[in-house]
Amino acid sequence: MSVVPIHVAMIMDGNGRWARARKLPVAAGHRQGVESVQQCVRTAIRLGVRYLTLYAFSSENWRRSAEEVGDLTSLLRFYLRHKINELRAQGVRLRIIGDPGRFEGSLREELRRAEALTLHNTTLTLTLALSYGGRADIVQAARRLAEDAVAGKIAAESISEAMLGDALQTSDMPDPDLVIRTSGECRLSNFLLWQSAYAELVFMDVLWPDFGEVEFLEALSHFASRQRRFGGRPA
């Protein structure tokens, strides 16, 4: 791979369709999707990707049935309990963005514990976006800057794109170079809206539970073939 992105973000879509096509419960698709996550983590480490951000549970996912929300949260709990040692051994730091406060208390504690256990790992930063919405992230950043302006800590006219970016939950990582979405859908669905302004977008027909190393390499190949101009013209 001649050009490897520093930060890859993924919208993991298609678990339900994968399960229905096999006449399985939706939970089976989510479980298989966990294996795709692990394959992507291993591939990212092998290729030298430094940041991998996964849209694991959107703020809109709360609108799904209570049964499916329960399946998703149970799977998240399973991941934290049974995969954390593998992540630690791989040198992966786990981070959470979004609004995890909406989850019940014991799950919030497990999320905090997983972050603490992997805090000093440096091989790969794996960020799970949980109860996350890109618009909400921008709103909280704008509100924080507005409060600072009202308090006299900053001048309103001094507020810049860089300052707003620094107020986002992702301020300690670079913006994504590449955003991948599976299942054939071609939209961002409120994921990293500010941060993806100049990301390369790759939409793939494969359903997330069938996404593995081959598909990841295909997406990276698309990325490597593109000329990133950031609004300018090629030299």
Side-chain angles (χ1 to χ4, degrees), residues 18-196:
W18 184 92
R20 287 191 292 272
R22 291 160 177 78
K23 295 181 169 46
L24 297 170
V26 173
H30 294 314
R31 286 194 296 271
Q32 185 62 34
V34 168
E35 299 308 313
S36 295
V37 169
Q38 292 303 96
Q39 287 192 54
C40 288
V41 168
R42 289 191 288 267
T43 302
I45 291 171
R46 183 172 65 80
L47 295 177
V49 174
R50 301 303 306 274
Y51 297 87
L52 182 63
T53 300
L54 306 179
Y55 206 8
F57 192 100
S58 77
S59 52
E60 289 77 20
N61 284 161
W62 292 107
R63 301 173 187 168
R64 297 186 179 183
S65 69
E67 180 182 5
E68 185 171 358
V69 169
D71 288 339
L72 284 166
T73 53
S74 294
L75 188 63
L76 176 59
R77 195 187 303 275
F78 174 87
Y79 186 79
L80 294 171
R81 291 178 179 176
H82 296 277
K83 302 297 184 180
I84 193 66
N85 287 333
E86 181 178 347
L87 294 177
R88 291 178 70 186
Q90 292 169 313
V92 175
R93 178 191 177 195
L94 183 68
R95 286 194 67 242
I96 307 299
I97 59 172
D99 183 15
R102 293 190 65 178
F103 296 108
E104 53 95 12
S106 63
L107 181 53
R108 294 198 304 270
E109 182 55 38
E110 292 197 49
L111 290 169
R112 285 192 290 267
R113 176 176 175 274
E115 285 188 293
L117 284 172
T118 61
L119 179 62
H120 300 294
N121 292 344
T122 59
T123 300
L124 173 74
T125 296
L126 173 63
T127 301
L128 301 183
L130 297 172
S131 190
Y132 175 85
R135 288 181 174 180
D137 194 13
I138 294 169
V139 167
Q140 67 81 26
R143 184 180 295 122
R144 185 186 308 177
L145 292 175
E147 290 171 351
D148 285 346
V150 169
K153 297 178 181 178
I154 60 173
E157 60 271 18
S158 72
I159 296 174
S160 63
E161 291 185 11
M163 291 173 68
L164 195 145
D166 286 342
L168 295 171
Q169 293 187 340
T170 55
S171 60
D172 60 343
M173 67 176 75
D175 289 340
D177 303 293
L178 171 64
V179 177
I180 302 168
R181 180 169 187 153
T182 58
S183 86
E185 304 292 347
C186 300
R187 56 182 179 272
L188 289 175
S189 294
N190 201 19
F191 180 52
L192 299 181
L193 298 179
W194 178 278
Q195 300 88 333
S196 298

Side-chain angles (χ1 to χ4, degrees), residues 1-3 219-228:
M1 190 68 57
S2 58
V3 180
L220 294 182
S221 178
H222 284 297
F223 174 82
S225 71
R226 297 181 183 179
Q227 186 175 54
R228 306 187 74 199

